[in-house]
Amino acid sequence: MTLDRRNFIKLVGGASGLALAGCASQGPAVSAGSAAELMPKGTARRVVVVGGGYGGTIAAKYIRMLDPSIEVVLVERNKEFISCPFSNFYIAGLMNDMSSLTIRYDKLAANHGIKMVYAEVTAIDPAAKKVVTTQGTLAYDRLIVSPGIDFRTEEIEGYDAKTPEIFPHAWKAGPQSTLLRNQLQSMKDGGTVIISMPLTPYRCPPGPYERSCLIAHYLKKHKPKSKLILLDANPDVVSKKPLFTKAWSTYYKDNFQYIGGKKVTKVDVGAKLVSIEGIEDFKGDVINLIPAQRAGDIAVKAGLVGDDKKWCPVDAVSFQSTKHKDIHVIGDATALPSDGPPMPKSGYSANSQAKFCAQNVVNLMNGKEPVEFSGINVCYSAISDHESVSIASVFKVENGKIKSPATAISPADFSQAKMEHAYGESWLRNILTEMST
Amino acid sequence: MKQRWSGWALAAGALTISAAAFAAPPTPEMISFACAGCHGTNGGSAGLTMPSLAAQSKAAIVEAMKKFKSGERPSTVMGRLAKGYSDADFEAMGAFFSRQKIHFTNQTVDKAKAAKGADLQEANCSRCHLDDGKDGKDDTPVMASQWLEYLKMQAELYDSGKRKMPKDMAEKWNRLSKEDREALLHFYAGVSK
């Protein structure tokens, strides 16, 4: 579905880019992106933001709030954004649809004078300071890239373009979430569900564990003869361990099994099988395979990833890329210099980073001294249909590295779990409202 | 502090770029922007259980944060986060949020209850909860237009003894019936201008 949509945009994108730009010298639509200049830059300084998720929307908005003399163009390939946080509720049948997770960009753009371009970015030219999109090229003074993640599927033998249609990752909310939900609902009672999660770092550290709780909750309620196995590539639980292990043993001990140190290296879609380093196989009726991750495709194409070829190294001040001048990267795609546990790849982290990126881009463009980072991450995870737990951290900078002076998880007796469930919902409303208005 | 970035800048400068060699401490607004993830842009909350911080007095914010940090005021996430901040940070947050315009939630409340609550506010609370709760004496928080669900949760915390009530408030509140208390909450929640 994503591919269809992209192809569709590519197909019409080149042509409409031509019409919009009105550029006489432009040839026919190019599938890789249109060379026609879109929105020729006037006298105003311009920041282009690539990606309208948790990071990009906030960066675009706060630049306009902090310095309205700077023109901001937000490039996003979809007309709607669906939040990954809380999509596990939908997958596990605790939410009827994803409408409460979906935002549009119209109000954000109107309220703050952000110029929206609905197109896919196909290339970035740091020397010429322009991005190439399926609608045409855009010149920038500074570029903020908030590309999210894509998957290192090449590390799994037998994984091809069709694999996620059978073994959904559901790690980008949308059609993949629906596919996994439908598979769970049509599975016979007595079936086996497998969640395979990758080594860190990946998007949303507690996410797979939350998913295991909510799917186990679904099975317990609707398919009590079924079981769920969580295959963790990491040797042990990497997020909120005391809380998740307690939830599993308290609520789901009869239908759930956690197995650490199981990295899926091969798949057999026909046999509904995942293999662990040639040693053992696991067979499932529903297999939720979450592959290892890296920065979103455009960051790789644009050479923004570091020597590891996975994540984008940036400084901890303005999130400026160490690879290309005048380009900043925020959110899941980044590798930040850290002292101690890094900022998790989460929506809240992206939100916090976007604001400092925005402020310091504005400061840099105005010849002002940048300010030091001071941000927050809060991640709520549901452990059942009415209880949630959280991790909360403050992040500051010390000696050029991001460090947390305070990090703590919910009390292990679940005494706050009902209240935190309610707070989690408010968090979602507030952060999505912040992104869309 | 002055030289904080120099080591890094040298290392990265060789690669490509002039990253900022120096960075100033975060401004009050930059410290406070991080709060918006839960409390809304500029402290105007869209979440039914989350209070708006916009237009709270500096004293109200500072006092609340100190109590969250010490554990005197019960919380879930807030106390844990407060431990990552200094008193100076709390002052900065207070300075920022006190400058923001009050956030009107325009929520639906029970009109009869709100009308009854208006009289109760005038008779019992208006000495500290000034101007229909849009302002507050000293560290008294802004009550006007806070979400009803949030107000109810706080009332429960007070009534269960988990949140300590100021003495002046307890004298008034404890005399009110359950219905009167609810009417007051509807009144505050319903203030919309």
Side-chain angles (χ1 to χ4, degrees):
Chain A
M1 184 139 167
T2 313
L3 276 174
D4 290 349
R5 188 183 166 78
R6 280 190 211 171
N7 286 335
F8 173 72
I9 290 172
K10 276 180 188 166
L11 211 66
V12 296
S16 60
L18 189 70
L20 273 171
C23 176
S25 65
Q26 184 56 36
V30 189
S31 69
S34 171
E37 188 175 7
L38 193 60
M39 297 183 186
K41 210 162 86 66
T43 51
R45 296 163 298 165
R46 178 190 281 173
V47 174
V48 172
V49 180
V50 176
Y54 273 92
T57 52
I58 299 299
K61 170 173 170 169
Y62 275 75
I63 286 176
R64 292 289 301 167
M65 279 167 61
L66 293 163
D67 187 347
S69 76
I70 297 173
E71 182 188 24
V72 174
V73 183
L74 176 56
V75 189
E76 163 57 43
R77 62 185 165 207
N78 298 311
K79 289 264 169 146
E80 291 180 337
F81 171 77
I82 306 176
S83 168
C84 261
F86 279 71
S87 62
N88 283 334
F89 283 78
Y90 169 71
I91 289 167
L94 297 169
M95 203 179 258
N96 290 331
D97 55 51
M98 289 187 282
S99 58
S100 63
L101 309 180
T102 305
I103 57 167
R104 291 178 61 86
Y105 301 97
D106 319 40
K107 279 186 199 154
L108 176 78
N111 291 349
H112 300 281
I114 296 164
K115 293 176 178 160
M116 289 300 303
V117 170
Y118 294 104
E120 177 146 3
V121 174
T122 55
I124 295 169
D125 184 343
K129 294 175 87 163
K130 62 178 190 178
V131 296
V132 183
T133 83
T134 43
Q135 297 270 8
T137 63
L138 281 162
Y140 64 80
D141 292 300
R142 277 186 186 267
L143 178 68
I144 298 174
V145 186
S146 187
I149 52 114
D150 273 301
F151 300 104
R152 282 147 49 199
T153 56
E154 67 279 5
E155 294 177 11
I156 303 172
E157 196 184 330
Y159 197 108
D160 61 28
K162 286 266 194 280
T163 306
E165 304 296 320
I166 315 293
F167 294 174
H169 53 73
W171 218 238
K172 293 182 181 190
Q176 277 278 304
S177 319
T178 305
L179 180 61
L180 180 56
R181 173 190 165 103
N182 290 346
Q183 287 185 352
L184 289 168
Q185 294 191 348
S186 56
M187 187 185 78
K188 66 178 190 302
D189 191 9
T192 298
V193 180
I194 290 173
I195 302 174
S196 157
M197 60 177 285
L199 287 170
T200 58
Y202 56 85
R203 162 181 280 177
C204 188
Y209 306 116
E210 175 190 71
R211 181 173 290 177
S212 76
C213 287
L214 293 184
I215 290 180
H217 180 271
Y218 168 79
L219 296 177
K220 189 176 168 180
K221 197 169 162 191
H222 300 284
K223 292 174 183 173
K225 285 180 265 176
S226 310
K227 65 171 180 178
L228 169 66
I229 301 169
L230 174 56
L231 301 176
D232 191 343
N234 302 284
D236 200 356
V237 181
V238 295
S239 175
K240 304 179 196 170
K241 186 186 170 189
L243 305 175
F244 285 118
T245 49
K246 182 176 173 184
W248 293 332
S249 64
T250 310
Y251 300 139
Y252 310 116
K253 66 177 186 318
D254 296 330
N255 69 349
F256 173 74
Q257 189 185 8
Y258 171 85
I259 318 178
K262 301 292 177 194
K263 184 181 163 192
V264 168
T265 49
K266 189 179 169 185
V267 293
D268 184 338
V269 169
K272 293 270 185 115
L273 203 75
V274 292
S275 299
I276 316 293
E277 303 178 275
I279 302 166
E280 59 187 318
D281 297 338
F282 288 86
K283 205 169 160 27
D285 298 283
V286 173
I287 297 181
N288 170 208
L289 175 58
I290 308 165
Q293 293 155 33
R294 55 166 168 76
D297 285 339
I298 186 62
V300 178
K301 271 195 231 170
L304 291 167
V305 291
D307 295 340
D308 66 359
K309 307 268 187 257
K310 294 169 190 163
W311 308 107
C312 305
V314 293
D315 71 49
V317 182
S318 64
F319 297 86
Q320 188 154 224
S321 167
T322 63
K323 307 295 287 183
H324 288 303
K325 200 169 177 295
D326 300 324
I327 300 181
H328 305 252
V329 187
I330 52 174
D332 292 347
T334 55
L336 276 160
S338 303
D339 179 1
M343 280 191 95
K345 298 188 181 300
S346 73
Y348 207 135
S349 291
N351 176 291
S352 264
Q353 292 167 11
K355 289 167 185 173
F356 275 81
C357 179
Q359 174 74 73
N360 285 333
V361 161
V362 166
N363 284 9
L364 289 168
M365 290 176 90
N366 290 322
K368 283 194 199 157
E369 193 177 29
V371 293
E372 274 179 359
F373 185 73
S374 166
I376 289 175
N377 176 63
V378 176
C379 288
Y380 290 97
S381 305
I383 51 171
S384 74
D385 60 346
H386 67 287
E387 290 174 303
S388 291
V389 292
S390 66
I391 185 164
S393 310
V394 175
F395 288 95
K396 293 183 180 180
V397 165
E398 223 172 84
N399 301 319
K401 290 180 175 173
I402 291 194
K403 188 174 182 172
S404 174
T407 292
I409 58 172
S410 308
D413 60 4
F414 294 169
S415 57
Q416 298 183 339
K418 280 182 192 149
M419 204 179 256
E420 291 209 75
H421 201 71
Y423 287 147
E425 283 174 20
S426 283
W427 170 84
L428 180 74
R429 281 280 65 75
N430 266 320
I431 206 156
L432 291 182
T433 302
E434 169 153 84
M435 291 161 66
S436 58
T437 59
Chain B
M1 175 107 157
K2 282 166 269 162
Q3 291 295 319
R4 265 181 147 168
W5 294 101
S6 54
W8 183 85
L10 271 174
L15 272 172
T16 38
I17 327 171
S18 56
F22 303 102
T27 54
E29 61 183 3
M30 291 312 295
I31 291 175
S32 310
F33 280 165
C35 310
C38 292
H39 291 280
T41 305
N42 296 336
S45 175
L48 304 186
T49 58
M50 263 324 138
S52 289
L53 305 179
Q56 299 290 352
S57 70
K58 191 173 169 180
I61 296 280
V62 170
E63 276 311 297
M65 290 307 289
K66 283 182 178 173
K67 285 176 182 167
F68 280 128
K69 190 175 180 176
S70 72
E72 183 185 333
R73 184 167 169 186
S75 71
T76 55
V77 161
M78 197 69 264
R80 289 183 251 151
L81 290 174
K83 289 186 174 63
Y85 294 103
S86 65
D87 286 0
D89 291 332
F90 297 156
E91 299 266 336
M93 293 169 189
F96 172 79
F97 288 113
S98 65
R99 284 200 302 269
Q100 307 307 313
K101 270 192 295 193
I102 190 165
H103 175 69
F104 291 116
T105 48
N106 297 313
Q107 63 198 295
T108 309
V109 295
D110 184 310
K111 277 186 187 147
K113 285 179 185 169
K116 186 181 169 194
D119 294 339
L120 290 163
Q121 147 76 14
E122 200 49 44
N124 295 285
C125 318
S126 57
R127 217 153 40 89
C128 296
H129 292 287
L130 312 171
D131 192 15
D132 291 346
K134 284 182 282 191
D135 197 356
K137 184 171 161 250
D138 303 327
D139 63 347
T140 306
V142 168
M143 302 287 283
S145 217
Q146 296 288 358
W147 292 105
L148 186 59
E149 203 168 322
Y150 165 74
L151 293 174
K152 283 181 175 172
M153 282 172 88
Q154 295 306 307
E156 276 173 32
L157 286 172
Y158 277 135
D159 292 343
S160 68
K162 284 180 189 156
R163 181 174 174 187
K164 201 171 149 234
M165 196 176 272
K167 207 169 130 247
D168 289 354
M169 181 175 163
E171 279 170 20
K172 308 280 189 184
W173 181 259
N174 292 338
R175 285 207 306 261
L176 298 176
S177 67
K178 198 174 159 234
E179 289 71 26
D180 285 352
R181 291 175 186 178
E182 197 187 343
L184 260 177
L185 303 189
H186 277 262
F187 164 72
Y188 288 130
V191 175
S192 61
K193 61 180 180 189

